[in-house]
Amino acid sequence: MREHLKPEQADEAAEAVLDLYGQDLRVLQKSLLLKTLAALRSPLAVKPLSQLLRDRSEKNANLKRNAIAALVAIGTPAALRPVVSVLEDEDPYVRHGALRHLAPLTGDEFGYDPARSAADNEAAIARFRQWWE
């Protein structure tokens, strides 16, 4: 979608999508908005998507996985940092989503196992952080 828009149009559309996301919506509607943000690839979405990943009150792992996909689609270093950070999330399904998107970018999983705790994955997480830096 972004290829068909000027950068300012994509950013304007992303702002409108983010405004909609803040409303009282069903999970499916929120998921579709997150997928739209991925298609727009606007850097303006990085901060709110990062906040969604850090939000401990948000228990829907699918929404967080969609946020991960949107951040990876944006692809800037600032967008990838929260994806690396979520490797330490308490939810193994969310951690798996991060690994699924990071491994193709890094070319390696560094021995990371999303079924294991962050403490058990300490060395692998350090390698992902080193890659990000």
Side-chain angles (χ1 to χ4, degrees):
M1 181 185 312
R2 177 139 182 134
E3 297 80 27
H4 302 290
L5 300 172
K6 294 178 182 173
E8 59 273 6
Q9 290 173 314
D11 290 344
E12 185 178 314
E15 286 177 343
V17 170
L18 289 166
D19 286 343
L20 281 173
Y21 189 88
Q23 296 178 12
D24 186 27
L25 301 172
R26 295 179 183 166
V27 172
L28 179 59
Q29 292 167 316
K30 287 185 173 191
S31 290
L32 291 172
L33 290 173
L34 290 171
K35 289 180 183 192
T36 302
L37 287 173
L40 290 169
R41 297 192 324 261
S42 172
L44 294 178
V46 171
K47 184 176 179 179
L49 291 171
S50 299
Q51 290 170 338
L52 172 62
L53 290 180
R54 287 191 309 270
D55 184 357
R56 293 190 183 271
S57 68
E58 179 56 70
K59 299 299 182 194
N60 190 303
N62 285 320
L63 287 179
K64 289 189 174 189
R65 286 174 63 111
N66 285 331
I68 290 167
L71 288 164
V72 170
I74 294 168
T76 64
L80 295 175
R81 182 179 195 163
V83 178
V84 172
S85 295
V86 85
L87 291 170
E88 297 182 87
D89 194 89
E90 60 190 32
D91 187 326
Y93 188 63
V94 173
R95 294 192 303 262
H96 179 266
L99 178 65
R100 190 178 126 238
H101 287 284
L102 288 171
L105 296 174
T106 63
D108 199 338
E109 292 184 3
F110 304 124
Y112 183 86
D113 181 353
R116 294 172 39 212
S117 71
D120 292 337
N121 279 305
E122 187 176 341
I125 292 169
R127 297 210 43 213
F128 276 109
R129 282 193 182 123
Q130 184 179 30
W131 165 82
W132 177 81
E133 291 171 4

